[in-house]
Amino acid sequence: MKFRTLISYLICCYLLSLKYVVNGGDIVHEDDKAPKQPGCDNNFVLVKVPTWVDGFEDTEYVGVGARFGPTLESKEKHANLTKLTLADPADCCSPPRNKLTGEAILVSRGNCSFTTKTNIAEDAGASAILIVNNSTELFKMVCEDDADTNIRIPAVMLPIDVGTTLGNLLYNNSNVYLQLYSPKRPAVDVAEVFLWLMAVGTILCASYWSAWNAREAAIEQDKLLKDASDEVVNAVETGSPSFVDISTKSALLFVVIASCFLVMLYKLMSVWFIDVLVVLFCIGGAEGLQTCLVTLLSSFRWFEHAAGSFIKLPLFGAVSYLAMAVSPLCVICAVIWAIYRREAYAWIGQDILGIALILTVLQIVRVPNLKVGTVLLSCAFFYDIFWVFLSKYLFHESVMIVVARGDKSGEDGIPMLLKIPRMFDPWGGYSVIGFGDILLPGLVIAFSLRYDWLGNKKIRAGYFLWAVTAYGFGLLITYVALNLMDGHGQPALLYIVPFTLGTLLTLGKKRGDLKDLWTRGEPERSCPHVRLRSSSE
C-alpha cells in the first residue's frame, strides 16, 4: 500500500469525533436551575409552525414548547388556524395596548419571566404566545420558583431569525396566520435499523477480508518453512508486510492525536475548512473504493490476467492494469459526490465511499494482540466521554457534537460519517454514526477472527461470533440511550467498548486463552505451523 494512501486513511481514522446527533436546532435550557413542578412539568417538544401570508401558504418554522401550558396537538388537521399579531409593548411585560380576540401574539424575550409574559397574554385574550429568542438557539422555557403556572394557552420559543421574518411581515401590514402542532417522533425509525445493519455488516466484511489475508499469508509461510532452508526462512522473516501493526505506545498517543484533530476541527470549522475535509474524504474514499473493487474483481477469472500484470509508474510504483482501469471510475464517483454533496440523495455516495474507506483501513491497520486492543479501546472510551459530556465545562458546549453537526460550516454535518435519512420521522433529519465508532471496535473484532482462523477454531468455540454480537448489542444500547436521553448526542463507544472488550476478556479468561490473546495474538502452535486449510480446499 502506497504511503500517500496510508496517510489519507490514518487521517480519516483519527477523525472519529462524530457521534449520534439529534436533528434540529441547537437547544439550551436551565432545567438544573428550575426543575419540574406542578403545572410546569411538560416534556420539551419541538413545535411545527406552518404559516400563511395574505392567504397563501408560506414557510414552515420550528420552535420548542415550554414546560408550562397545555399540551399541543400532535396532528396538523386538529390544530387551529390562528391569526398572528405583534405585542404592544413588544416584551409583553405589561398589559397590551391593543385588544386581543383569540390571536396568537408575537413577543420579544427579556425584561420579565416567561410565565409572566404568558399570563399577561392570556389575560389580554391571546390564544397562544410566541416568544422570540435573542439568538438563533431554541431556549427551553422553564418556570421560576414562585411562578403562577395555572396557564391555559400554549407558549412556543422561536429563534431570532424567524421572529425577525414574522415581525417584518406584520410591520408591513401583511395578514399572517399560523398553526401550532407537535408531531410525535417514532420510538424507532427504520433508518436506525439500516444504520445498525450497515455498521455491523461493514465490520463483518472487514473482519473476514482481514482474516482471509492473514490465513493465506500463513499458508504461504508454511509452504516456505517446510523447505528448511535458512535462505528461505530469512526471506520469510524479512519480507515487508502489507499492513501496519498498532503498538501500545501509538494506542496511548491516540487520545492526544485525536484530541488535537478534534480541537482543530472545532476551532477552524468554516466553509473553507469543510472543503479541505471534503477533498481528504474524496482522496481516501476513492482509493478505498479502488482497493475494494480490485480485490473483488481479482476473484473472477476474467480479471486474473489484468490483476496479475503490472506496470511501473513514477511516484506510484508497480500498479496493476486492473487498478489502472478501475481508478478513473473511483475518482469520478468521488468527484460526483463532492459536487452534489448538498443534494438530498448525496448520502448514498457518502456511505459507499465511507464504507470502502473503512474496509480498506481495517486491512492496513491491525491490532497485533488483545493488550494493544484493550489500551486502544480504553483510551477511546475515555476520549468519547470527555469530548461529548465534559468538554462543555471548558468550551461551554459539547465539542464533539458541535463538530459532528458541522456548526458554522454551512453543511449538514462533516463528511466523515455514515448517514441514512430518517424515513418515518415527521421532523426528518438523519441517523448518523461516526467512522471511529466502526473503525476502533472493528480493529479488535477483526483481530478476534484472525485468531480464530489461525487456530482453526469452530465458530462457536472461537471469539469472533461473541465479539461481533457484543458490538451489535452495544450499538443497540446506544440507540436506546439516544431515545431515552431526548435525542441528545451520545458517545457510542461509551456503550460499545464495555460490551465488546468485556466479552473478549471474560471469555478468554474462562477458556484459558487470555495469555495468548493478550501477548502473542495468535494460538500456540507447533513449528512448523499446524497445517491450515487453504481457500482451495
Side-chain angles (χ1 to χ4, degrees):
M1 187 63 64
K2 299 295 180 291
F3 179 75
R4 63 185 182 87
T5 307
L6 180 57
I7 292 298
S8 63
Y9 290 159
L10 290 179
I11 289 175
C12 292
C13 186
Y14 284 123
L15 293 178
L16 73 116
S17 56
L18 321 164
K19 307 299 162 194
Y20 294 87
V21 182
V22 63
N23 302 303
D26 191 15
I27 300 176
V28 295
H29 59 86
E30 294 182 351
D31 262 2
D32 52 341
K33 299 179 182 178
K36 291 183 180 181
Q37 55 182 290
C40 190
D41 53 2
N42 293 344
N43 291 325
F44 290 120
V45 293
L46 290 174
V47 180
K48 289 197 174 186
V49 188
T51 59
W52 287 258
V53 179
D54 294 329
F56 296 95
E57 188 172 356
D58 200 64
T59 310
E60 180 178 271
Y61 303 106
V62 175
V64 63
R67 275 275 187 229
F68 49 85
T71 303
L72 289 166
E73 291 287 348
S74 62
K75 295 183 179 179
E76 183 179 9
K77 63 181 180 180
H78 295 154
N80 294 326
L81 188 64
T82 307
K83 186 177 181 180
L84 181 66
T85 188
L86 281 171
D88 184 17
D91 58 11
C92 200
C93 290
S94 58
R97 299 184 183 94
N98 51 330
K99 183 65 177 177
L100 302 177
T101 55
E103 294 94 340
I105 187 171
L106 187 68
V107 176
S108 63
R109 180 181 175 184
N111 301 325
C112 60
S113 68
F114 299 123
T115 54
T116 298
K117 294 176 186 289
T118 308
N119 278 311
I120 291 174
E122 182 181 354
D123 292 341
S127 61
I129 181 170
L130 280 69
I131 301 176
V132 179
N133 198 13
N134 49 22
S135 69
T136 56
E137 295 174 333
L138 289 173
F139 192 91
K140 293 182 176 180
M141 297 181 288
V142 296
C143 305
E144 62 275 17
D145 293 334
D146 56 349
D148 179 6
T149 56
N150 186 24
I151 297 171
R152 295 182 297 275
I153 65 171
V156 176
M157 173 69 73
L158 295 176
I160 189 171
D161 52 342
V162 175
T164 301
T165 301
L166 294 176
N168 290 336
L169 289 171
L170 294 172
Y171 275 122
N172 293 328
N173 297 318
S174 297
N175 289 317
V176 180
Y177 285 80
L178 52 78
Q179 289 178 302
L180 300 175
Y181 68 103
S182 179
K184 294 181 179 178
R185 269 200 168 105
V188 178
D189 191 86
V190 177
E192 294 175 345
V193 177
F194 281 113
L195 195 66
W196 185 92
L197 291 172
M198 188 184 298
V200 175
T202 300
I203 287 182
L204 281 172
C205 293
S207 299
Y208 274 96
W209 188 4
S210 177
W212 184 281
N213 290 338
R215 186 174 65 176
E216 293 299 306
I219 291 171
E220 287 299 317
Q221 189 180 55
D222 285 348
K223 291 177 180 178
L224 294 173
L225 287 173
K226 287 176 184 177
D227 245 349
S229 165
D230 291 340
E231 183 179 346
V232 172
V233 172
N234 289 334
V236 172
E237 290 178 350
T238 58
S240 60
S242 59
F243 56 86
V244 177
D245 275 340
I246 300 175
S247 65
T248 305
K249 182 179 179 180
S250 60
L252 289 170
L253 285 175
F254 160 77
V255 174
V256 177
I257 297 174
S259 296
C260 290
F261 268 108
L262 187 62
V263 173
M264 182 179 67
L265 287 170
Y266 175 72
K267 293 294 184 181
L268 299 179
M269 188 63 65
S270 61
V271 175
W272 71 266
F273 194 66
I274 286 293
D275 290 338
V276 173
L277 295 180
V278 167
V279 171
L280 290 176
F281 176 72
C282 287
I283 294 172
E287 296 206 33
L289 188 59
Q290 173 198 297
T291 302
C292 292
L293 287 177
V294 168
T295 302
L296 179 64
L297 294 175
S298 297
S299 62
F300 296 98
R301 61 182 181 181
W302 303 287
F303 300 100
E304 285 181 357
H305 179 71
S309 302
F310 293 86
I311 184 173
K312 192 171 183 179
L313 298 176
L315 300 178
F316 293 91
V319 179
S320 70
Y321 287 104
L322 181 59
M324 290 182 60
V326 168
S327 293
L329 174 63
C330 298
V331 172
I332 290 171
C333 289
V335 171
I336 290 175
W337 172 82
I339 294 173
Y340 296 101
R341 68 182 186 276
R342 294 184 179 89
E343 301 296 330
Y345 52 80
W347 64 273
I348 300 173
Q350 181 170 323
D351 287 351
I352 292 173
L353 293 173
I355 290 174
L357 175 60
I358 292 171
L359 288 172
T360 307
V361 169
L362 289 175
Q363 307 317 303
I364 302 172
V365 184
R366 294 187 179 184
V367 169
N369 52 52
L370 192 55
K371 177 184 177 181
V372 174
T374 300
V375 172
L376 181 65
L377 288 188
S378 298
C379 290
F381 176 79
F382 292 108
Y383 167 89
D384 255 16
I385 293 174
F386 178 82
W387 288 110
V388 173
F389 294 133
L390 302 181
S391 61
K392 64 182 67 175
Y393 297 106
L394 294 176
F395 298 88
H396 308 294
E397 56 188 349
S398 175
V399 172
M400 189 173 288
I401 291 179
V402 169
V403 170
R405 276 200 309 249
D407 290 1
K408 304 175 184 177
S409 68
E411 303 258 351
D412 185 17
I414 67 177
M416 281 69 175
L417 292 165
L418 298 185
K419 58 194 291 187
I420 297 180
R422 297 178 65 85
M423 302 175 189
F424 299 105
D425 191 334
W427 297 100
Y430 293 88
S431 291
V432 301
I433 186 171
F435 284 1
D437 297 329
I438 302 175
L439 276 170
L440 295 175
L443 289 169
V444 176
I445 295 171
F447 157 75
S448 69
L449 186 59
R450 292 197 303 271
Y451 182 90
D452 289 352
W453 279 22
L454 291 176
N456 286 326
K457 292 182 178 292
K458 302 285 186 181
I459 185 70
R460 294 184 63 182
Y463 293 91
F464 172 72
L465 174 65
W466 308 106
V468 76
T469 301
Y471 172 82
F473 189 72
L475 188 56
L476 181 63
I477 296 298
T478 306
Y479 283 117
V480 174
L482 187 67
N483 290 319
L484 291 179
M485 299 297 178
D486 195 25
H488 292 295
Q490 293 294 302
L493 295 181
L494 172 63
Y495 309 96
I496 292 172
V497 169
F499 281 102
T500 306
L501 206 53
T503 298
L504 286 173
L505 291 172
T506 302
L507 204 58
K509 179 68 174 177
K510 184 178 179 180
R511 292 176 175 176
D513 295 334
L514 188 57
K515 184 177 179 180
D516 287 340
L517 285 166
W518 189 259
T519 55
R520 287 173 51 85
E522 63 179 57
E524 187 74 46
R525 291 181 291 177
S526 57
C527 185
H529 291 187
V530 175
R531 183 171 180 269
L532 297 168
R533 292 188 296 271
S534 69
S535 56
S536 60
E537 291 180 352

